[in-house]
Amino acid sequence: QVRLVESGGGLVESGGSLRLSCAASGSIYRFDAMGWYRQAPGKEREFIARIRSGGNTDYADSVKGRFTVSRAKTGNSVSLQMNGLKPDDTAVYICHGFVAGYNRHYYGNGTLVTVSV
């Protein structure tokens, strides 16, 4: 059974930084892409960032220039460096992994990030 486990969330002041990490277990395949979504209270889940197996990255406009997604060269782990945090960034951040050959998506349970004013 594939599991994605996030860590690194917490409370930070506006303008501060946090680094989230996610590690997958139970998968015998290297994910073709890994990344992050987030869900704020009362809102739908939204895409934040993704890194593909070749190293290309994609970001939501709302975080571009402030967040950086990275991935280890081996295994299935991904990180999200978040700088210049704003209160609007408050949400549960959810790790995502994708196996293209099987068109399968995997999600973690999320880690809460709270940005105070």
Side-chain angles (χ1 to χ4, degrees):
Q1 182 177 2
V2 177
R3 292 186 66 217
L4 300 181
V5 179
E6 304 93 339
S7 61
L11 174 64
V12 63
E13 291 184 351
S14 181
S17 299
L18 278 177
R19 185 177 180 84
L20 305 182
S21 297
C22 170
S25 62
S27 174
I28 62 173
Y29 304 105
R30 178 167 169 84
F31 291 139
D32 294 286
M34 294 193 76
W36 297 88
Y37 287 73
R38 70 185 181 189
Q39 187 163 17
K43 295 186 178 180
E44 295 187 355
R45 182 180 296 184
E46 63 171 336
F47 165 78
I48 294 301
R50 171 176 52 233
I51 182 165
R52 305 173 194 271
S53 57
N56 292 336
T57 56
D58 303 293
Y59 295 94
D61 288 343
S62 59
V63 306
K64 201 172 292 184
R66 299 188 296 125
F67 291 11
T68 303
V69 63
S70 61
R71 183 178 180 185
K73 291 185 177 180
T74 59
N76 286 323
S77 62
V78 65
S79 297
L80 184 69
Q81 177 66 41
M82 306 185 294
N83 299 328
L85 284 162
K86 308 172 183 179
D88 284 348
D89 294 318
T90 294
V92 174
Y93 283 71
I94 301 160
C95 181
H96 170 252
F98 174 61
V99 180
Y102 293 91
N103 193 28
R104 285 193 178 167
H105 297 264
Y106 299 94
Y107 297 92
N109 289 330
T111 184
L112 177 62
V113 172
T114 303
V115 184
S116 63
V117 298

